[in-house]
Amino acid sequence: MEKHIMGENGISYTLGEDGLYYPDLYLPEETEYPIGKYVMLRKTYLQEHRKGLYLELVLAGKLNKHLHQINEECNQMMDRLVEQMKKRQGVTEELKMQDQMAWVGRMNNIRACAEEIVLKKIVYR
């Protein structure tokens, strides 16, 4: 028996130790991007709740690109929301100089609210 054969469908096969031929399949190369908080949350969400989309992205070699786009969207939306909420609530540098603890408390609240919106609108959709 030959070690490698080419099938009629254009896929090459390799002879296994058990005497069966297995297709030589490889996933396409993907670009590596930095892994952040939103990337891990999105990936876990896809694996647990959107298995079809997750497998489609993996098999097409587009998972890393998708996760990178989600990360970029989340970070941009967080920045935008935090700035908008700061303006609406009157959180300024002047407040920071006058009462640091009040400023920290308000900023923590703003970031938590903005993150909740980002998670709902982008990560878990």
Side-chain angles (χ1 to χ4, degrees):
M1 292 175 100
E2 294 182 46
K3 181 80 173 160
H4 300 282
I5 61 170
M6 181 64 74
E8 294 174 8
N9 55 8
I11 298 175
S12 63
Y13 294 85
T14 302
L15 182 64
E17 293 179 10
D18 56 1
L20 298 175
Y21 283 100
Y22 294 96
D24 298 325
L25 301 176
Y26 303 98
L27 292 175
E29 288 290 321
E30 287 194 65
T31 306
E32 291 294 322
Y33 297 103
I35 295 174
K37 174 182 181 178
Y38 300 115
V39 169
M40 294 305 297
L41 291 171
R42 177 67 174 178
K43 186 176 180 183
T44 302
Y45 171 74
L46 290 174
Q47 287 173 327
E48 293 176 3
H49 302 285
R50 305 280 307 273
K51 293 176 185 161
L53 177 59
Y54 176 76
L55 289 174
E56 180 182 325
L57 291 169
V58 168
L59 293 175
K62 296 180 181 178
L63 179 64
N64 287 341
K65 184 177 180 181
H66 170 77
L67 294 174
H68 178 68
Q69 289 172 339
I70 292 294
N71 193 51
E72 291 295 315
E73 285 179 45
C74 289
N75 287 324
Q76 290 170 3
M77 190 175 198
M78 273 295 290
D79 294 342
R80 203 170 46 249
L81 287 172
V82 166
E83 287 305 314
Q84 290 172 356
M85 288 178 179
K86 278 172 51 176
K87 285 180 185 175
R88 281 196 179 158
Q89 295 181 21
V91 178
T92 62
E93 290 298 313
E94 186 178 314
L95 175 64
K96 185 177 180 180
M97 286 187 270
Q98 291 174 356
D99 189 356
Q100 287 183 347
M101 291 307 290
W103 182 86
V104 168
R106 287 185 180 182
M107 284 303 296
N108 285 342
N109 187 33
I110 287 171
R111 283 193 191 101
C113 291
E115 186 166 67
E116 188 175 330
I117 293 168
V118 166
L119 292 175
K120 184 177 180 185
K121 298 265 183 193
I122 298 176
V123 175
Y124 300 132
R125 64 175 158 102

